[in-house]
Amino acid sequence: MTWPDCSSCGKKQPFTVFATGAVSQILAENSIFGVLDPQLVSRRTVAIDAPFYPLPGLQARLFAVPGKVPLFLESGEPDLNVEGETTVGIELTAGTRRVYYIPGCGLLTDILAARLKDADAVFFDGTLFRDDEMIATGTGHKTGRRMGHMPIAGEGGSLDALAALNIRRKIYVHINNTNPIWRPGSEREHVEDRGFEIGFDGMEVRL
């Protein structure tokens, strides 16, 4: 099998990858990430909790959230709630507005809850509705928590945890195709009745 050379296909465009030190090392050590053409894609390593400015007037800050190492780096049973540089959220602030994007999170700790409290918007890990969803649907053999994702519903779920934080807009993202909230139904209605939104491709949020 041969791969086409799309260097002249008109599909390339420049952008910058902002990453923690650990993720920058992963990108450098794995040849598959060579698809990020260094002539167009610049890489910038940023420290946890250090502010940087991807655009004028927009301050960003990466912060650690509970999770685990990527699947391809697992060796044995991983720590499921380690707070390091491989599972992070991002805080975006502009003027008085404060927004968070957290597509993967294994646990909503007291420290993380305090950070998110009173935010203008939080985009949060909505991978699975129930912890045993992959097992119940026959699409996998791991629970959501084993994969590094806290479920939406059930004991210790993100629905109850986030509802208590007075967040202006709460939006679920990174929704797995087994998660029933992506289509009309009782689970979606339950989430929306609690004041949450379901993210979708092309969604625009104005604050």
Side-chain angles (χ1 to χ4, degrees), residues 20-51:
T20 64
V23 173
S24 293
Q25 184 174 350
I26 291 171
L27 295 178
E29 293 178 349
N30 289 268
S31 60
I32 190 172
F33 297 115
V35 299
L36 300 176
D37 187 343
Q39 294 184 4
L40 291 172
V41 181
S42 59
R43 302 182 187 181
R44 180 176 168 187
T45 299
V46 295
I48 291 290
D49 283 317

Side-chain angles (χ1 to χ4, degrees), residues 74-106:
E74 284 187 16
S75 177
E77 287 298 316
D79 185 341
L80 300 180
N81 290 310
V82 64
E83 294 185 49
E85 293 190 352
T86 56
T87 305
V88 299
I90 185 168
E91 176 189 81
L92 300 171
T93 56
T96 61
R97 302 297 191 220
R98 183 166 51 97
V99 175
Y100 295 90
Y101 180 72
I102 308 172
C105 183

Side-chain angles (χ1 to χ4, degrees), residues 51-132:
F52 61 97
Y53 297 85
L55 294 171
L58 178 66
Q59 178 180 283
R61 192 186 304 264
L62 299 179
F63 57 93
V65 299
K68 68 175 187 65
V69 297
L71 178 60
F72 66 92
L73 293 180
E74 284 187 16
S75 177
E77 287 298 316
D79 185 341
L80 300 180
N81 290 310
V82 64
E83 294 185 49
E85 293 190 352
T86 56
T87 305
V88 299
I90 185 168
E91 176 189 81
L92 300 171
T93 56
T96 61
R97 302 297 191 220
R98 183 166 51 97
V99 175
Y100 295 90
Y101 180 72
I102 308 172
C105 183
L107 178 70
L108 189 62
T109 63
D110 290 342
I111 293 176
L112 179 56
R115 184 189 289 268
L116 303 183
K117 186 178 180 182
D118 300 323
D120 291 286
V122 172
F123 297 81
F124 197 80
D125 184 354
T127 305
L128 301 177
F129 188 74
R130 296 185 177 85
D131 192 40
D132 64 349

Side-chain angles (χ1 to χ4, degrees), residues 180-199:
I181 68 169
W182 70 265
R183 60 180 181 271
S186 58
E187 292 89 353
R188 185 185 181 104
E189 291 176 1
H190 177 64
V191 168
E192 292 178 334
D193 286 346
R194 295 289 298 275
F196 287 72
E197 300 173 59
I198 313 302

